[in-house]
Amino acid sequence: MSAIRIEDLTKDYAIGFWRKRPYRALDRLSLEIRSGEVFGFLGPNGAGKTTTLKLLMQLIYPTSGHAEILGKPVGDVATRQRIGYLPENPSFYDYLTAEELLTYFARLFGYPAAERKRRVTMLLDRVGIAGERRLQLRKFSKGMIQRVGIAQALLNDPDVIFLDEPMSGLDPLGRRDVRSLILELREQGRTVFFSSHILADAEALCSRVAVVAGGRLAASGLLGDILAFEVRGWELVVTGAKPDVLASLSHIFTRRTEISPGRYALELSLDHPPEQVLSSLIASGASLISLNPIRDTLEDFFVRRVAEAGPRESNAVGPTAQIPRSGVG
Amino acid sequence: MRAVSWIAISVFRESVRDRVPYNLVVFAVLLMASSYLLGQLTAGQDVKIIKDLGLAATAVFGLFIAVFIGIGLVSKEVERRSIYSLLAKPISRPQFIAGKYAGLVLTLAVNIAVMTCALYLVLAYMTWIGSPTLKSAWDAPGVDVALLKAIFLIFLELALITAVALFFSTFSTPLLAAALTFGIYVAGHFNADLRNFDRVVTPAPAVWLARGLYHVLPDFAAFDIKTQVVHGLPVPAGYIVSTAAYGMAYIAAVLLAATFIFSRRDFK
């Protein structure tokens, strides 16, 4: 069963002061996120990630297309009882304390007093701000506000959680905490849809990802599938190789690095099968330490797809449209 | 309905902790104290001056609360993006508008109650120290319950201004919303002049425009019965009821328009 279904979702904004011109922030995005998976929604700044999340939360309305969460159209108020949302760089009420804010939101979910207290106490503790529960939010640092944001997103024990740049503003310890929290949510069978431009987060957490660039879907699928087709060479680590043998093979190596005396890391392109090189080296008295395929990292994939998507100007609708760099993400 | 009340309580708590209402109440109390001093210099007119200034201060300081907090209710929430988390909760946009409005009306009610208490305390003191000869010169009793009629209509007028401020804040910037609300407030007080515009201006389009504005703009002058109350003139109950009905109908219409616009708005 799909937790989130997005079909041809498109969002145009009118830009300009006097002469309004349409600008396409999101272009016919289609995605399906299965129940219980951690889905990474990746892309550089301005790619359309935040626009997509705002459309799913119905903070903005689509120009065309359709989206559903848990089988109900987005905007269905009852469905919000089962979803959690952390906006990008969240902000709350300056004069409320963290405890008051969470209690206020818990009331909106209709929990009775004892349940409100239990949930608020548990979540403040879970995100590591139990000690600051009675401090007004205007005195909180960015990282602490982010933690409050995560707590309010989990307040209703949601089935589907939307996290927009959840690691933003967090120190390494905070990032580690959020990662373990997302993994915990996955173990509990929750669906997590999170946007990020930090690819290491996706590599550590996601089973499937989608990459958006320039408002368009550049790729989507299992992380392993996306990267499996991107093996671009081999790395051999050998010891005891004779310098004259290495010199005779130098035209084959794309890179040769002496890690320590007599120990080399050698990179081969896909044109040269590693077995042949390896047999030549072993015949000359070298020993194999390791042999590994060189894969594209998600970072490489990401950069390449963004470059393929072209400049943002391609998103302007109409012949003379200009492109803003802010306001959409 | 419960969601609306929780939003309203949150607005009330936020505005009480934001020190602006406190400052305004302090200013109102100070003004009433100065009216007492002024009254000492004007023999026989002291209570009338205190009532005049007290009611005027209640209206003016209430106006500042209604406009400056009213326009911030939605626009501040959108600007600092706190609305994102809130609208992701199981509440609809009309509930959001209703809750915000109810919260500010609650804030106004508490502020006006404080100002009314302060005014009555000063009047009670004046009555207590006043000689029988002095009291016989008063148009109305010192502690006059009829003042509550004027205060009730001031409250309704402020509730209407709050609705207007909220309406403008659903689609414009705080500065523009404040300017537009003050504009409506001023124009609404001269509504009767628009009705009789043909007596001073002859071109037909100008007269039609004035007539049109007369029907569209709120008639704030109708809520002003301060002079009658201070001078002890009778204000029929029917007038209070019909003005209250007019005010509430206007508030409902403005809030409906605000909800209509807000429900279609994109939060970029």
Side-chain angles (χ1 to χ4, degrees):
Chain A
M1 183 201 164
S2 60
I4 306 163
R5 204 155 60 83
I6 301 171
E7 280 175 17
D8 287 330
L9 207 56
T10 299
K11 179 64 184 173
D12 292 340
Y13 287 113
I15 57 166
F17 189 74
W18 292 113
R19 290 179 58 204
K20 297 279 187 191
R21 302 177 302 273
Y23 162 72
R24 184 148 292 180
L26 193 66
D27 193 7
R28 286 164 292 155
L29 178 76
S30 294
L31 280 176
E32 191 158 344
I33 290 94
R34 287 188 285 271
S35 209
E37 72 175 331
V38 176
F39 191 90
F41 194 51
L42 311 172
N45 294 330
K49 304 188 298 294
T50 296
T51 299
T52 305
L53 277 158
K54 282 183 179 175
L55 284 164
L56 290 172
M57 292 297 111
Q58 210 173 61
L59 294 169
I60 54 176
Y61 293 94
T63 304
S64 63
H66 176 77
E68 285 179 1
I69 302 170
L70 295 167
K72 296 279 170 64
V74 292
D76 178 61
V77 174
T79 309
R80 291 189 203 145
Q81 199 76 34
R82 297 172 61 196
I83 65 176
Y85 171 53
L86 167 73
E88 184 182 17
N89 299 322
S91 172
F92 303 105
Y93 306 98
D94 288 347
Y95 292 97
L96 295 187
T97 66
E99 189 173 44
E100 285 168 346
L101 179 88
L102 294 184
T103 304
Y104 167 39
F105 284 166
R107 282 178 172 136
L108 296 178
F109 283 110
Y111 295 122
E115 182 62 12
R116 281 201 299 266
K117 193 169 166 42
R118 187 190 72 77
R119 282 175 189 259
V120 169
T121 307
M122 183 268 288
L123 277 164
L124 285 169
D125 200 37
R126 179 69 188 86
V127 299
I129 50 170
E132 292 82 17
R133 63 174 60 206
R134 296 208 169 92
L135 202 62
Q136 286 188 350
L137 293 171
R138 65 198 168 104
K139 293 173 185 161
F140 272 35
S141 68
K142 195 182 172 199
M144 284 161 74
I145 287 286
Q146 188 74 2
R147 286 168 187 263
V148 174
I150 292 166
Q152 63 82 32
L154 301 175
L155 199 54
N156 53 326
D157 218 1
D159 294 327
V160 184
I161 303 117
F162 297 88
L163 305 170
D164 196 353
E165 303 281 0
M167 312 293 184
S168 172
L170 294 173
D171 57 21
L173 202 65
R175 296 167 77 90
R176 194 196 63 190
D177 287 350
V178 172
R179 280 187 187 193
S180 70
L181 184 76
I182 292 175
L183 291 173
E184 200 178 294
L185 291 168
R186 182 166 69 182
E187 280 164 22
Q188 290 168 1
R190 321 259 179 217
T191 309
V192 181
F193 181 95
F194 82 89
S195 81
S196 181
H197 62 274
I198 302 164
L199 303 172
D201 296 340
E203 286 183 306
L205 299 168
C206 299
S207 43
R208 288 201 310 143
V209 297
V211 180
V212 279
R216 299 186 192 106
L217 184 67
S220 74
L222 292 169
L223 201 55
D225 287 351
I226 288 177
L227 296 180
F229 297 105
E230 308 293 344
V231 175
R232 56 176 167 82
W234 298 94
E235 185 200 60
L236 290 94
V237 177
V238 294
T239 185
K242 292 192 170 70
D244 57 319
V245 177
L246 287 175
S248 68
L249 295 170
S250 62
H251 63 283
I252 294 172
F253 304 134
T254 53
R255 181 182 290 174
R256 189 179 78 172
T257 310
E258 189 168 9
I259 302 166
S260 58
R263 189 172 174 143
Y264 294 90
L266 308 167
E267 287 184 19
L268 303 171
S269 70
L270 283 178
D271 301 334
H272 301 280
E275 295 86 351
Q276 287 176 13
V277 182
L278 195 56
S279 58
S280 305
L281 288 169
I282 288 171
S284 70
S287 305
L288 177 68
I289 304 293
S290 65
L291 170 64
N292 289 302
I294 301 171
R295 291 182 191 279
D296 262 4
T297 61
L298 197 50
E299 190 86 42
D300 299 323
F301 176 82
F302 189 78
V303 168
R304 201 167 53 247
R305 287 302 174 113
V306 170
E308 284 167 13
R312 290 289 287 184
E313 276 72 12
S314 61
N315 276 30
V317 180
T320 58
Q322 297 295 307
I323 306 305
R325 295 298 304 175
S326 61
V328 289
Chain B
M1 193 60 202
R2 290 185 72 179
V4 172
S5 61
W6 292 128
I7 295 169
I9 289 167
S10 162
V11 170
F12 178 71
R13 181 179 281 170
E14 175 88 353
S15 33
V16 166
R17 288 193 185 164
D18 200 343
R19 277 160 288 188
V20 178
Y22 291 139
N23 294 338
L24 294 175
V25 171
V26 168
F27 268 96
V29 171
L30 283 176
L31 195 74
M32 278 184 269
S34 67
S35 74
Y36 164 69
L37 293 174
L38 200 66
Q40 297 294 301
L41 303 171
T42 51
Q45 297 295 307
D46 44 4
V47 164
K48 196 176 87 58
I49 289 177
I50 291 166
K51 286 179 183 174
D52 264 335
L53 284 176
L55 291 176
T58 306
V60 170
F61 287 114
L63 174 70
F64 281 112
I65 294 173
V67 174
F68 289 116
I69 304 181
I71 57 166
L73 277 182
V74 175
S75 51
K76 257 169 76 182
E77 186 103 35
V78 175
E79 256 176 35
R80 63 186 182 190
R81 301 187 309 276
S82 49
I83 198 167
Y84 293 179
S85 308
L86 189 57
L87 288 183
K89 304 290 177 282
I91 58 160
S92 63
R93 293 195 188 190
Q95 282 178 315
F96 172 84
I97 290 288
K100 288 280 167 186
Y101 179 71
L104 188 51
V105 168
L106 180 64
T107 309
L108 268 176
V110 171
N111 276 276
I112 287 178
V114 172
M115 289 192 250
T116 304
C117 288
L119 177 61
Y120 269 108
L121 277 174
V122 174
L123 290 172
Y125 175 72
M126 294 303 293
T127 308
W128 183 52
I129 61 163
S131 65
T133 323
L134 196 68
K135 286 180 194 169
S136 65
W138 291 350
D139 294 333
V143 183
D144 189 0
V145 183
L147 283 178
L148 291 177
K149 292 180 186 173
I151 291 168
F152 172 65
L153 288 189
I154 287 172
F155 171 67
L156 268 182
E157 182 187 10
L158 294 175
L160 176 50
I161 294 164
T162 304
V164 172
L166 185 67
F167 169 74
F168 285 126
S169 75
T170 55
F171 61 87
S172 64
T173 61
L175 197 66
L176 187 61
L180 289 169
T181 307
F182 272 118
I184 294 283
Y185 175 75
V186 173
H189 269 282
F190 293 102
N191 208 329
D193 296 335
L194 290 171
R195 187 184 186 180
N196 305 317
F197 211 55
D198 53 338
R199 290 183 193 166
V200 285
V201 170
T202 41
V207 173
W208 293 336
L209 181 67
R211 282 271 164 81
L213 285 173
Y214 166 73
H215 288 294
V216 172
L217 290 174
D219 182 8
F220 285 124
F223 297 92
D224 186 3
I225 55 165
K226 290 195 282 290
T227 311
Q228 292 94 310
V229 166
V230 168
H231 287 92
L233 301 171
V235 181
Y239 180 80
I240 304 283
V241 171
S242 62
T243 308
Y246 166 75
M248 285 191 256
Y250 210 109
I251 288 168
V254 174
L255 289 181
L256 270 177
T259 305
F260 181 80
I261 293 171
F262 189 72
S263 295
R264 281 152 187 78
R265 185 175 169 182
D266 274 352
F267 301 110
K268 293 174 193 170

